[in-house]
Amino acid sequence: LAGGAALDEIVALVAAGRRFLCTAHAAPDGDALGSMMATALGLQRLGKEAVAWVTAPPPGALARLPFARTLAAAPPEGAFDAVLVHDCGDWRLVGEPFPPRERTGPVAVLDHHAAARPFGDLIYRCPEAAATGVLSARLLARLGVALDGEIGEAIFCALACDTGWFRYGNTDGEAMALAAKLVERGVEPARLARALEEEQPPERLVLLCRVLETLELHGEAPRRAALLVLTRAMLAESGAAREQADGFVNYARALAGVEVGALVSEEADGVRVSLRSKGGCDVAAIAQRFDGGGHRAAAGCSLPLPLAAAKQALLAALLEALAAPPRGGVS
Ligand SMILES: [Mn+2]
């Protein structure tokens, strides 16, 4: 079951059940973490047992947010009436140790990715939603849960992270109206912004300096590609953790004349690529060519190749996509 009918089914499932597991894609970003915590906290307000657990919990600032403090280290024993998976369109991204099928009950997915590998018994997928946090808010509204400050902060975090603090093309009226409502319920955007953006360790800046020196520009303005590279040696020299490079790709995208920014990160068994466009190039389609996925303006993939070969393959795909005339305009 998919779409709006799936939401009806998920509402019925949650209303009738007692014990739930809420999760998201492994190593969650702000939307994955915020949406799953909002749902879990909301179900708890209804007197239900709802455990929030995720493979590879978020690093640093996200994990320190108050609404994330009840994140479990492992999925609890016993059977669930349902498992609710957030912000994930690919089963391989959920991670282990996922409870065995005989314990999960129906697996319900709340997601806004244009999924390459859909999974789940009930799929509430809305690619037009700015964040999965929007879908959690809709679910909680249907269940009659009042949005308090704690749930509100989780949903606001989801909105802020996926819209780039309400700047990206997915920022719509529903996201803004929901954010306004959350502020009325006690969420302080400035406090969240400080916690998420202004608690950075100095090593991050050292790493950023190294990465920015690798800048390469290819193609013709206004549809150029900007490539940044992060090597394992840079990580070792800077003393920074890999996740501290989150967001570096935006420096590439932000350049004048550039349509797509890419960060190519060297890993033990290949590279990880982050792609960001200004909306005039579908980077999810490029990522899918390498078995990855994401959104039109933000996507990622992994290439099991040495750095130089991976860069070459990626650049060829990027230049091909950028040579094609833009469709659909800025989105
Ligand atoms: Mn998301």
Side-chain angles (χ1 to χ4, degrees), residues 29 31-32 87 112-113 130-132 162 295:
D29 59 13
D31 183 29
D87 199 37
H112 69 140
H113 292 88
T132 301
D162 261 27
H295 303 288

Side-chain angles (χ1 to χ4, degrees), residues 8 14 16 73 79 91 119 161 169 176 183 201 205-206 224 231 238 262 329:
D8 295 339
V14 170
W91 175 248
F119 68 97
C161 290
M176 298 296 264
V183 171
L205 228 52
V206 174
R224 305 186 89 176
T231 65
S238 66

Side-chain angles (χ1 to χ4, degrees), residues 16-65:
R18 189 193 63 80
R19 187 167 196 260
F20 300 93
L21 180 65
C22 294
T23 189
H25 66 71
D29 59 13
D31 183 29
L33 180 72
S35 62
M36 65 177 272
M37 292 309 305
T39 299
L41 292 166
L43 299 198
Q44 289 166 16
R45 303 290 191 269
L46 292 173
K48 297 177 188 296
E49 185 186 347
V51 176
W53 160 80
V54 70
T55 301
L62 270 179
R64 289 194 296 271
L65 291 172

Side-chain angles (χ1 to χ4, degrees), residues 153-181:
E153 194 159 284
I155 297 174
F156 198 98
C157 172
L159 291 172
C161 290
D162 261 27
T163 61
W165 292 90
F166 308 98
R167 289 183 300 129
Y168 300 155
N170 59 350
T171 307
D172 61 5
E174 184 179 13
M176 298 296 264
L178 180 54
K181 188 166 148 189

